[in-house]
Amino acid sequence: MSELEKKDEELKEQTQETAEVKSEAKEEKKETVTEEKKEESTKKEPFKNIHVIVVTSGKGGVGKTTSSAAIATGIAKKGHKTAVIDFDVGLRNLDLIMGCERRVVYDFINVIQGEAKLNQALIKDRHVDNLFVLPASQTKDKDALTYDGVEKVFRELDDMNFEYVVCDSPAGIETGALMSLYFADEAIVTTNPEVSSVRDSDRIIGILNAKSRRSELELEPVAAKLLLTRYVPSRVKKAEMLSVEDVQELLTIPLLGVIPESPDVLKASNSGNPIILNAQSDAGKAYEDAVERLLGNEVPLRFVTEKKGIFGKIFKK
């Protein structure tokens, strides 16, 4: 190898090393900036008006978005100014269940990145006054969510005199889930009556206790409550499904409600009408009960025992 070739090779190696150092420094800087933004958020005063409720779970497919839509609708029906936000960046299903998918122009990420004002992105619900939907983005990356950006949206909602903000969290512990959990005042842990779903929910409760904004500010802990969905008493009786008592024993958090399995839920979702608006459905009634309990009212627990047919009622005992 000639001297010229040796020098050229050395220069290439030096350039590669410099690029690697710069890349490492960039990653370190990115992490530092993220932590600084989080630290900046945690130092701010608590919200004045809004109460942030996150609907979460450890496992997907348990009915979080259905529950978010129903609970937000129920709270708004009680006269409270409510916003429901889709944190599932990249997928976006809340607008479908709320029946406003064709009215989406701007989304949550557009607001965070300063591409739209919050008023432009909020969609007024067509069913209930005082309810507004903030959809997620289908095209942006989950990393577009930042602690500082999410807090700015919450602060603006606070200034707009919203009372409740319901966050539809993605399943598990990805960016959107952690972000919504971090700002929560109250968490509705949604689970099906099966072991894997309950186990994953237990991990979410651990994160709420350790990594929430409230814990970092040494405020009262996030109030976690259990919402048990797709419950079938007849299957519980056959030991094919965990009972309410079994799930409570495993998770040790207060019970908010039990939502029975019902074909009405799928029909409601497909038609863009939250199930709580169906006053004839047992599932709709169960969500109404859950909202009452969420607002501090005591109502009896229904739909946890098997319904008897006419002959069962005649010949019982």
Side-chain angles (χ1 to χ4, degrees):
M1 182 181 291
S2 68
E3 286 296 322
L4 187 60
E5 288 174 329
K6 283 182 181 179
K7 285 182 180 181
D8 188 45
E9 193 65 32
E10 287 174 5
L11 185 61
K12 283 181 181 177
E13 288 176 2
Q14 288 174 1
T15 304
Q16 186 175 353
E17 287 174 7
T18 303
E20 288 173 358
V21 169
K22 283 183 177 179
S23 179
E24 289 173 6
K26 187 177 179 181
E27 286 301 315
E28 287 176 8
K29 185 178 179 182
K30 183 180 177 183
E31 289 175 10
T32 304
V33 169
T34 302
E35 286 304 314
E36 283 176 357
K37 283 183 177 180
K38 182 177 175 182
E39 187 64 26
E40 182 186 338
S41 296
T42 61
K43 288 178 180 176
K44 292 183 178 178
E45 293 296 317
F47 303 123
K48 299 188 297 290
N49 302 306
I50 61 170
H51 185 73
V52 181
I53 301 171
V54 60
V55 181
T56 183
S57 75
K59 186 180 178 183
V62 300
K64 277 188 316 305
T65 302
T66 295
S67 298
S68 297
I71 287 164
T73 301
I75 293 172
K77 279 178 68 182
K78 294 292 181 181
H80 301 285
K81 191 175 182 182
T82 306
V84 57
I85 303 177
D86 192 345
F87 272 78
D88 202 354
V89 178
L91 292 178
R92 197 172 88 188
N93 289 312
L94 179 65
D95 55 307
L96 291 170
I97 290 178
M98 297 294 291
C100 62
E101 70 278 7
R102 294 182 182 178
R103 294 162 60 198
V104 176
V105 178
Y106 295 109
D107 56 54
F108 191 16
I109 302 302
N110 290 141
V111 177
I112 286 175
Q113 295 182 341
E115 298 164 351
K117 293 180 179 179
L118 182 55
N119 267 329
Q120 292 177 294
L122 284 172
I123 301 170
K124 193 176 188 305
D125 185 67
R126 61 190 173 91
H127 303 105
V128 184
D129 287 337
N130 295 324
L131 179 58
F132 296 81
V133 183
L134 185 55
S137 171
Q138 282 185 307
T139 58
K140 300 289 175 67
D141 190 84
K142 297 178 190 296
D143 292 335
L145 284 172
T146 64
Y147 287 98
D148 192 48
V150 172
E151 180 164 16
K152 282 179 180 176
V153 171
F154 284 157
R155 293 281 170 196
E156 195 167 346
L157 289 169
D158 204 21
D159 291 338
M160 293 165 70
N161 296 317
F162 276 87
E163 297 173 71
Y164 287 90
V165 178
V166 177
C167 305
D168 180 26
S169 168
I173 53 173
E174 63 174 53
T175 303
L178 292 174
M179 204 77 66
S180 58
L181 289 170
Y182 179 74
F183 288 99
D185 294 310
E186 195 164 1
I188 298 173
V189 181
T190 312
T191 185
N192 292 155
E194 57 181 63
V195 174
S196 62
S197 181
V198 173
R199 181 195 62 194
D200 290 345
S201 293
D202 200 27
R203 188 177 182 192
I204 295 296
I205 294 169
I207 291 171
L208 282 169
N209 292 333
K211 294 186 177 181
S212 71
R213 179 173 180 267
R214 295 187 71 86
S215 66
E216 290 182 6
L217 289 175
E218 298 182 355
L219 300 172
E220 286 291 318
V222 176
K225 294 176 181 175
L226 170 65
L227 185 67
L228 193 56
T229 56
R230 305 190 69 176
Y231 196 74
V232 185
S234 61
R235 293 190 63 190
V236 173
K237 193 174 180 181
K238 295 175 185 175
E240 297 174 354
M241 188 176 274
L242 296 175
S243 69
V244 174
E245 294 76 19
D246 292 334
V247 178
Q248 281 190 284
E249 187 177 339
L250 290 167
L251 293 181
T252 64
I253 57 174
L255 182 66
L256 180 66
V258 177
I259 313 300
E261 178 75 279
S262 171
D264 296 331
V265 174
L266 182 59
K267 291 176 186 174
S269 297
N270 287 339
S271 63
N273 299 300
I275 183 62
I276 199 169
L277 296 174
N278 186 345
Q280 305 306 312
S281 168
D282 284 353
K285 294 172 187 174
Y287 275 115
E288 285 277 11
D289 291 350
V291 169
E292 289 286 353
R293 295 188 195 99
L294 191 64
L295 296 176
N297 302 314
E298 290 187 17
V299 291
L301 192 63
R302 299 188 281 176
F303 315 115
V304 292
T305 55
E306 190 174 2
K307 278 189 175 181
K308 294 184 181 293
I310 184 66
F311 291 108
K313 290 177 182 177
I314 293 171
F315 295 109
K316 69 177 180 179
K317 297 184 180 180

